[in-house]
């Protein structure tokens, strides 16, 4: 699947030390060719972006983020650039995502000039090929966006603009473990993240999976989840399996609702039964 991602190059003698103080991940430990997920946070600790950092040279990092958020990431970084010898510039790279149990067995012998990034989604491993001239390896079947949405939702992968906004607390999204280092030292927005972690990760709501029951149209984002007559959350993403196997969704659900839990989904013009489950939705 070709993923819509924005790429930025951060280049200069202070590139690594600057990003180390801005990002939640320990990017200074990355060797050339290694990647890591990270939050870029507001000073108050809420999310500006969930992104990936790849070290491409000793003084060069490449950042990629969901499409449409590259400019905001660059602007946010530059706001905190004071006496820093590093520049941020857009990069014309592409991303091809390979997922599934055999993704790492794909023959990449004919693929040149790309960075191979290992991806460990919950319940689903794979690789991303990123670079300026990425091509589809022989024997790889391309899927469409509908199939991709189902896979992403089943794995519980939050997306910028859907599960992640400027109001999101990192611990709500379920990715702190892979996107935050608690040993690296200070970074912008650290106080809220550390305080919540010290209290056992308790936040008012958590990202959950939702499996819709019965034949129904796909509910829109914002559709309300109701348990025992009480509104307990709302959908952020939903997708119907291209093969007709059902509809799955992601939703932020109040913490007192322990999955699995039966629920009703309601929206303007429709409603259906549902089950709230822990993520990932696939083993």
């Amino acid at each position: 699947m070709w993923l819509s991602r924005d790429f930025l190059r951060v280049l200069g003698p202070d590139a690594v030390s600057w990003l180390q103080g801005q990002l939640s991940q320990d990017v200074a430990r990355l060797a050339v060719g290694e990647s890591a997920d990270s939050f870029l946070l507001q000073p108050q600790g809420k999310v500006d972006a969930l992104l990936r950092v790849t070290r491409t040279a000793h003084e060069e990092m490449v950042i990629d983020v969901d499409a449409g958020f590259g400019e905001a990431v660059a602007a946010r970084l530059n706001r905190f650039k004071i006496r820093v010898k590093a520049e941020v510039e857009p990069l014309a790279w592409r991303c091809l995502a390979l997922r599934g149990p055999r993704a790492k067995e794909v023959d990449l012998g004919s693929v040149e000039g790309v960075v191979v990034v290992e991806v460990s989604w919950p319940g689903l491993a794979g690789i991303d090929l990123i670079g300026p001239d990425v091509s589809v390896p022989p024997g790889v079947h391309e899927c469409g966006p509908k199939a991709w949405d189902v896979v992403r939702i089943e794995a519980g992968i939050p997306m910028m603009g859907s599960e992640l906004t400027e109001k999101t607390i990192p611990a709500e999204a379920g990715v702190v473990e892979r996107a935050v280092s608690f040993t690296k030292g200070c970074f912008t927005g650290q106080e809220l993240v550390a305080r919540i972690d010290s209290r056992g990760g308790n936040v008012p709501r958590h990202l959950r999976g939702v499996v819709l029951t019965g034949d129904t149209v796909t509910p829109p984002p914002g559709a309300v989840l109701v348990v025992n007559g009480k509104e307990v959350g709302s959908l952020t993403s939903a997708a119907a399996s291209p093969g007709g196997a059902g509809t799955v969704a992601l939703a932020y659900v109040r913490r007192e609702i322990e999955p699995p839990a039966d629920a009703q989904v309601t929206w303007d013009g429709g409603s259906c039964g549902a089950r709230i489950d822990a993520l990932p939705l696939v083993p």
Side-chain angles (χ1 to χ4, degrees):
M1 169 72 185
W2 289 105
L3 291 189
S4 295
R5 307 281 291 175
D6 290 345
F7 286 84
L8 302 168
R9 175 189 282 123
V10 183
L11 178 64
D14 295 339
V16 176
S17 59
W18 177 40
L19 291 181
Q20 182 76 345
Q22 292 302 311
L23 301 179
S24 65
Q25 186 59 268
D26 187 357
V27 298
R29 67 170 177 77
L30 295 177
V32 173
E34 289 185 336
S35 301
D37 293 326
S38 179
F39 282 113
L40 178 65
L41 300 175
Q42 304 165 23
Q44 298 80 12
K46 293 188 177 180
V47 174
D48 274 328
L50 176 64
L51 49 82
R52 176 169 56 193
V53 185
T54 302
R55 191 166 193 166
T56 48
H58 179 64
E59 296 181 347
E60 180 184 81
M61 295 282 203
V62 169
I63 290 172
D64 64 295
V65 64
D66 289 325
F69 291 89
E71 287 188 10
V73 168
R76 158 63 180 80
L77 286 172
N78 283 322
R79 278 202 307 274
F80 288 76
K81 193 177 80 169
I82 302 173
R83 296 186 295 276
V84 170
K85 295 179 181 179
E87 299 298 328
V88 182
E89 60 184 20
L91 201 59
W93 278 22
R94 306 177 74 195
C95 178
L96 180 68
L98 310 181
R99 298 291 184 274
R102 301 183 62 185
K104 296 183 181 180
E105 300 174 12
V106 172
D107 182 8
L108 300 177
S110 62
V111 180
E112 299 179 356
V114 302
V115 178
V116 180
V117 180
E118 289 199 17
V119 178
S120 296
W121 281 9
L124 188 67
I127 58 174
D128 283 356
L129 306 181
I130 61 175
D133 299 306
V134 179
S135 59
V136 180
V140 170
H141 172 71
E142 292 187 56
C143 74
K146 291 183 178 180
W148 175 262
D149 282 344
V150 171
V151 171
R152 177 185 73 83
I153 289 170
E154 289 179 338
I157 303 302
M159 186 173 180
M160 290 296 301
S162 297
E163 289 72 43
L164 300 169
T165 72
E166 72 281 356
K167 298 180 180 179
T168 306
I169 296 172
E172 296 174 333
V175 293
V176 165
E177 184 176 341
R178 65 182 174 90
V180 175
S181 168
F182 289 98
T183 60
K184 59 168 281 185
C186 296
F187 58 89
T188 301
Q190 177 192 25
E191 183 179 354
L192 177 65
V193 177
R195 185 168 69 247
I196 291 174
D197 180 70
S198 69
R199 296 175 180 176
N202 287 328
V203 285
R205 58 180 191 162
H206 294 279
L207 190 65
R208 302 297 191 193
V210 180
V211 179
L212 279 64
T213 57
D215 296 328
T216 181
V217 297
T218 303
V224 175
L225 275 169
V226 177
V227 174
N228 296 327
K230 180 181 178 181
E231 183 178 327
V232 298
S234 58
L235 303 191
T236 54
S237 298
S241 169
T247 298
V248 291
L250 292 173
Y252 280 109
V253 181
R254 292 185 61 85
R255 66 183 179 189
E256 63 263 28
I257 303 301
E258 286 291 334
D262 292 331
Q264 192 77 13
V265 181
T266 64
W267 64 97
D268 187 17
S271 66
C272 66
R275 185 182 70 250
I276 300 170
D277 277 333
L279 291 168
L281 292 174
V282 290

